[in-house]
Amino acid sequence: MKIYVNQMGYLPNSSKLAVFALSQDAEAPAPAISGKASLCTTNGTCILEKEPVTFGYDEASGDYVFQMDFSEITVCGTYVIKWQDAVSYPFTVGNDLYSDLNILLTRALYYQRCGSELLEAHAGKYARPACHTAPTVLWTEYKKFLDGELSETELQKFDIRGGWHDAGDYGRYTTAAACALGHVLYAYRFFPEAFTRELNLPETGNGTPDILNECRYELDWMLQMQADDGSVYHKHTTQHHAGFVMPHEDTNQMLLLPTSSMAVGDFVGTMALASRIYRPFDADFADRTLTAAKKSYAWLEAHPEFLFEHVRECGTGGYGDRSDLDERMWAAMELYRTTGESRYLTDARAIFDKQENPVQYGWADISGFAAWALLEDELTMDTSVTGHGDLSSVETDFRTAYKELLYKDADRQLEALAACGYNVAMRANEYGWGSNLTVLNRGMLFGTVYRLTPKPEYYTAVVRQMDYLLGVNATDYSYVTGVGAHAFCNPHNRVPASDGIDETIPGFVSGGANGSRWVDPLAKELIPEGTPPMKCFVDRWECYSLNEITIYWNSPAIFCAAFLDNMK
Ligand code: 9MR
Ligand code: ZN
């Protein structure tokens, strides 16, 4: 038997769940186990005895599962749970857990910074030289150079630097960046009280909250991705991924890959949102981002067609898509919210009606961001936020329609949560590449609807998604480096894999279990065929399809942690 708990711990007043699991075949008879489990302090005093409740066979994990709710334990301290011959990892009940977690999650973004030196004063033993500062060229021209049609001196040179390395690789991708920024900027917008602590960044103390200082680093890079005509380059990478070397050792030619309409829509949404958020701290920057957003919106209006070219000769991340409707809707919605001009609202509403379920928060479909913009005042619980006076009937109708979808989706995900022995809102067929993004996106969805209608089930569902991430899952791992007694520690990330430092940079979220294990040779070798999807994971740095980290897997965790910290 295994006992799974949130290895970081639980907030004093939130719901608390432990899972007891026996690995067995679906058809095997129910195990004959009974008796009480005990919850004890780490010095051995048992303060709660309780009989776990049988859940039964759980499809996603292939486990026979029992559950124990121990929400009555509200006293701060460190505990373990015991049942039969099993003991859980120790965990804490404490008030600041999610606040402390958020510091690590956000500082992990700082460690992804490209283009500037990380000084010892801020990075400690993880200090490293600046990387990727050489001039960038256009892929279209570079290809001609490779084919001998242009000489080196004929290539246009661009000085583009900064931003966060996307993931375990050193690329920077516009739509991935927009996804991460959307999560984090809205986390700050909705839960500002969760972001008052300093992060020891180079900018700390400049009068701007550190979470915005960190995001500004990415925004400054993103602004450079706008082409003169208002279109936006899809990615800024080398032709192929670097080997497992430190970033300053990757001196391959930096390239700007062709513009895409998804990148343009995402750029507009991000910049228009940034304009609202940064205005109180830096009006010039707010003006600059708004001007940039409007310029790219004009490009979108002039180019209604979907535009994306997958450049096969370039082996870095594709971030392909089949539709740009969500990006266009978000762009329009943010510009409406920032400027109050009704034409943008009309555009957003027209696109909304063309989509089936625009309640997504991942890099391919960011439609749910439009709902955050639309409902911003209700979600911040601050009616002064929009400041557009009386709502037009167009906006009122739009709000009603969008809320209906949000509730419908949240309620559907609550059913998935109840149907899973680990109480995570995931179906057995949903463990794909980066499954932790799905887990956390559902957390954000539950947090969003809870702000609209504070039903306790929605709140608890956010807790459960984070519990899964931090240890209530069938792999026995906490999926955040440095957090919990058994945290994964070999991320597929070139920096920790090549920095020669034993202790992994803390605060990175793993992509997590991936039932499609065959995409990655070592995963295929190490994980036997037929392994239940929730268990398709190994903590090996080579396994890029299981154990990579990305900025947009950290960002939804920041949102969920801020929600829980703020609403505790
Ligand atoms: O996160 C992406 C995942 O959803 C896709 O299935 C996968 C394959 O296309 O690509 C992932 O994105 C990677 C990106 O292309 C490059 N940087 C690292 C990302 C995480 O693995
Ligand atoms: Zn770099």
Side-chain angles (χ1 to χ4, degrees):
M1 171 171 318
K2 282 289 212 180
I3 306 181
Y4 298 113
V5 294
N6 181 327
Q7 296 173 26
M8 175 184 78
Y10 303 80
L11 291 167
N13 297 317
S14 78
S15 171
K16 300 176 187 68
L17 174 79
V19 164
F20 307 81
L22 290 156
S23 199
Q24 67 165 46
D25 289 342
E27 299 78 31
I33 297 180
S34 59
K36 289 181 174 172
S38 41
L39 183 141
C40 315
T41 62
T42 37
N43 64 22
T45 319
C46 293
I47 56 169
L48 177 75
E49 297 227 305
K50 206 168 173 177
E51 185 136 12
V53 174
T54 303
F55 171 88
Y57 183 73
D58 173 66
E59 190 193 344
S61 61
D63 287 338
Y64 195 90
V65 169
F66 303 81
Q67 301 173 336
M68 185 173 88
D69 185 310
F70 58 102
S71 305
E72 57 268 56
I73 301 298
T74 56
V75 178
C76 295
T78 306
Y79 306 94
V80 291
I81 291 175
K82 303 176 184 173
W83 198 32
Q84 309 286 326
D85 55 352
V87 186
S88 74
Y89 293 114
F91 60 89
T92 299
V93 172
N95 252 308
D96 297 329
L97 294 172
Y98 281 98
S99 174
D100 294 345
L101 176 68
N102 240 340
I103 299 231
L104 295 181
L105 293 169
T106 316
R107 276 189 52 83
L109 296 177
Y110 162 75
Y111 287 115
Q112 291 294 98
R113 284 192 189 193
C114 179
S116 62
E117 186 181 357
L118 304 194
L119 298 174
E120 208 186 323
H122 313 114
K125 63 184 169 193
Y126 305 112
R128 58 176 168 83
C131 53
H132 304 110
T133 52
T136 296
V137 303
L138 296 173
W139 161 255
T140 43
E141 293 187 0
Y142 187 65
K143 188 169 159 25
K144 288 189 182 147
F145 163 72
L146 293 178
D147 293 345
E149 291 165 27
L150 278 182
S151 71
E152 218 272 301
T153 50
E154 285 170 306
L155 299 174
Q156 296 180 73
K157 305 272 162 42
F158 298 80
D159 181 19
I160 301 183
R161 30 178 114 176
W164 299 317
H165 296 139
D166 179 54
D169 67 309
Y170 294 141
R172 272 138 304 139
Y173 309 82
T174 304
T175 57
C179 177
L181 284 167
H183 300 152
V184 180
L185 292 176
Y186 270 114
Y188 168 76
R189 190 58 150 182
F190 299 151
F191 321 113
E193 300 84 356
F195 295 104
T196 52
R197 290 169 67 187
E198 289 186 343
L199 296 173
N200 185 28
L201 304 174
E203 301 81 7
T204 297
N206 65 358
T208 300
D210 266 349
I211 189 78
L212 298 188
N213 282 327
E214 194 48 54
C215 289
R216 173 76 186 258
Y217 196 80
E218 181 78 338
L219 288 162
D220 282 338
W221 160 78
M222 208 197 241
L223 277 168
Q224 303 168 63
M225 292 295 278
Q226 188 181 39
D228 289 341
D229 67 352
S231 65
V232 177
Y233 296 105
H234 191 69
K235 57 182 190 176
H236 183 206
T237 73
T238 49
Q239 189 181 348
H240 299 289
H241 287 310
F244 268 66
V245 297
M246 288 295 278
H248 61 279
E249 290 164 348
D250 173 25
T251 53
N252 292 309
Q253 177 63 54
M254 291 299 304
L255 303 164
L256 280 173
L257 278 293
T259 59
S260 72
S261 52
M262 297 96 77
V264 184
D266 273 348
F267 178 90
V268 175
T270 308
M271 292 304 158
L273 168 62
S275 177
R276 289 203 303 290
I277 293 198
Y278 285 80
R279 184 153 306 277
F281 306 103
D282 187 341
D284 286 346
F285 183 65
D287 289 343
R288 205 145 63 81
T289 51
L290 184 55
T291 306
K294 285 180 175 169
K295 181 173 175 177
S296 288
Y297 197 79
W299 185 94
L300 285 176
E301 286 180 306
H303 298 84
E305 70 284 4
F306 172 74
L307 178 101
F308 171 66
E309 181 197 340
H310 178 59
V311 178
R312 283 182 204 292
E313 299 102 310
C314 177
T316 56
Y319 288 115
D321 207 338
R322 269 171 297 194
S323 162
D324 61 10
L325 287 181
D326 53 306
E327 288 85 4
R328 287 175 186 267
M329 176 172 68
W330 183 39
M333 204 52 231
E334 289 295 350
L335 272 173
Y336 170 66
R337 190 50 76 221
T338 306
T339 65
E341 284 175 40
S342 58
R343 68 183 183 105
Y344 298 121
L345 180 67
T346 313
D347 288 358
R349 178 63 211 240
I351 306 173
F352 174 83
D353 289 332
K354 290 186 198 156
Q355 291 173 89
E356 235 165 62
N357 189 34
V359 189
Q360 308 297 324
Y361 309 97
W363 56 263
D365 186 343
I366 43 75
S367 50
F369 295 8
W372 287 343
L374 178 64
L375 304 169
E376 186 174 57
D377 55 345
E378 292 180 63
L379 293 168
T380 51
M381 306 200 287
D382 174 359
T383 46
S384 71
V385 159
T386 62
H388 296 143
D390 290 343
L391 298 181
S392 66
S393 63
V394 181
E395 179 165 347
T396 313
D397 286 356
F398 196 3
R399 283 173 179 251
T400 310
Y402 227 139
K403 280 189 209 169
E404 254 173 46
L405 280 190
L406 289 166
Y407 291 130
K408 208 170 110 195
D409 205 38
D411 291 340
R412 209 167 58 84
Q413 303 311 345
L414 276 185
E415 285 169 20
L417 184 149
C420 169
Y422 285 75
N423 259 211
V424 66
M426 290 286 280
R427 294 162 192 82
N429 63 1
E430 291 180 318
Y431 292 84
W433 191 319
S435 60
N436 283 339
L437 177 65
T438 313
V439 170
L440 294 166
N441 283 352
R442 302 230 162 116
M444 295 196 292
L445 172 70
F446 292 132
T448 302
V449 290
Y450 182 76
R451 272 290 173 108
L452 298 171
T453 303
K455 281 210 298 194
E457 300 92 298
Y458 294 143
Y459 180 91
T460 297
V462 184
V463 175
R464 295 287 193 267
Q465 301 304 97
M466 288 304 272
D467 286 347
Y468 171 92
L469 188 78
L470 293 162
V472 185
N473 67 65
T475 69
D476 204 29
Y477 282 106
S478 154
Y479 281 127
V480 183
T481 52
V483 179
H486 190 235
F488 89 105
C489 58
N490 297 302
H492 179 85
N493 182 356
R494 283 168 173 71
V495 175
S498 57
D499 64 6
I501 300 169
D502 280 348
E503 193 189 340
T504 311
I505 299 173
F508 281 120
V509 173
S510 167
N514 182 356
S516 312
R517 49 181 245 306
W518 62 85
V519 297
D520 160 345
L522 187 63
K524 190 175 171 189
E525 184 188 320
L526 296 178
I527 301 173
E529 189 160 4
T531 301
M534 202 200 286
K535 286 186 174 152
C536 288
F537 179 78
V538 283
D539 182 20
R540 287 283 293 259
W541 67 266
E542 299 93 330
C543 291
Y544 53 85
S545 71
L546 308 173
N547 211 20
E548 190 162 0
I549 61 93
T550 72
I551 54 175
Y552 53 85
W553 295 336
N554 265 57
S555 54
I558 291 173
F559 185 109
C560 292
F563 170 89
L564 291 174
D565 184 46
N566 193 214
M567 309 295 283
K568 68 191 171 202

